[in-house]
Amino acid sequence: MSTNRTFTMIKPDAVANGHIGSIINDFTNAGFKIIALKYTKLTDETAGQFYAVHAERPFYKDLVSFMSSGPIVAAILEKDNAIEDFRKLIGATNPAEAAEGTIRQKYAKSIDANAVHGSDSDENAEIEGNFFFKADERF
Ligand code: UDP
Ligand code: MG
């Protein structure tokens, strides 16, 4: 069953480069409603847990240290067809391959520092949202 929700993070590169406001504006202009929002910072340990599904990938260690290198913005967003529409809004993992006008094309410079995270399934959106937000932090 589709929950119409996705989970996102504005990653340390986009935060450091001053793009929080523009990116949240892109979320809302695309029709996503904010259900939960938090400015926070991952540790090596929590970033490792969040990305545990990628533990066997060659980029895992660098990804974990990058994601804990500075503050992030975590959010749960809601819209019809949220997972697919949000992946379309952010663009390809590698910003060099991301379509014109997508968030990664506009704000990311490399495949590792690629500005935003977006859940890949309803199931993972649920797990990832629960990682950051309690029930009374969602509105
Ligand atoms: N990543 C990387 N190198 C790669 C592939 C991925 O550094 O070759 C990083 C990148 O930050 C990406 C994250 O690992 O966003 C998770 O990878 P995934 O394949 O799930 O891409 P996404 O779902 O974020 O597009
Ligand atoms: Mg992914």
Side-chain angles (χ1 to χ4, degrees):
M1 195 199 76
S2 170
T3 60
N4 294 332
R5 288 190 179 181
T6 190
F7 171 80
T8 186
M9 290 183 285
I10 303 175
K11 296 187 180 186
D13 59 316
V15 172
N17 292 328
H19 298 312
I20 292 175
S22 303
I23 291 175
I24 291 178
N25 202 36
D26 285 355
F27 294 165
T28 51
N29 282 343
F32 288 89
K33 179 184 176 224
I34 294 169
I35 300 297
L37 187 69
K38 188 176 284 183
Y39 184 56
T40 186
K41 190 172 181 293
L42 292 165
T43 63
D44 242 39
E45 193 187 352
T46 53
Q49 288 164 4
F50 183 88
Y51 281 110
V53 290
H54 293 310
E56 303 308 319
R57 311 274 288 274
F59 57 81
Y60 176 70
K61 261 193 146 176
D62 288 343
L63 175 62
V64 167
S65 65
F66 167 66
M67 286 303 295
S68 56
S69 68
I72 60 149
V73 174
I76 297 172
L77 303 176
E78 186 172 81
K79 181 185 181 297
D80 287 349
N81 202 36
I83 297 291
E84 196 184 331
D85 287 0
F86 192 75
R87 299 286 310 196
K88 215 172 278 173
L89 177 68
I90 68 176
T93 306
N94 183 352
E97 293 163 9
E100 188 67 28
T102 59
I103 291 175
R104 282 167 167 168
Q105 183 267 322
K106 290 194 287 184
Y107 304 114
K109 293 192 174 68
S110 68
I111 191 168
D112 45 314
N114 61 2
V116 280
H117 169 83
S119 303
D120 61 10
S121 63
D122 289 326
E123 189 193 4
N124 284 334
E126 178 77 17
I127 293 168
E128 292 168 0
N130 289 341
F131 194 88
F132 284 89
F133 298 104
K134 301 191 181 85
D136 66 357
E137 296 176 306
R138 300 155 192 239
F139 307 99

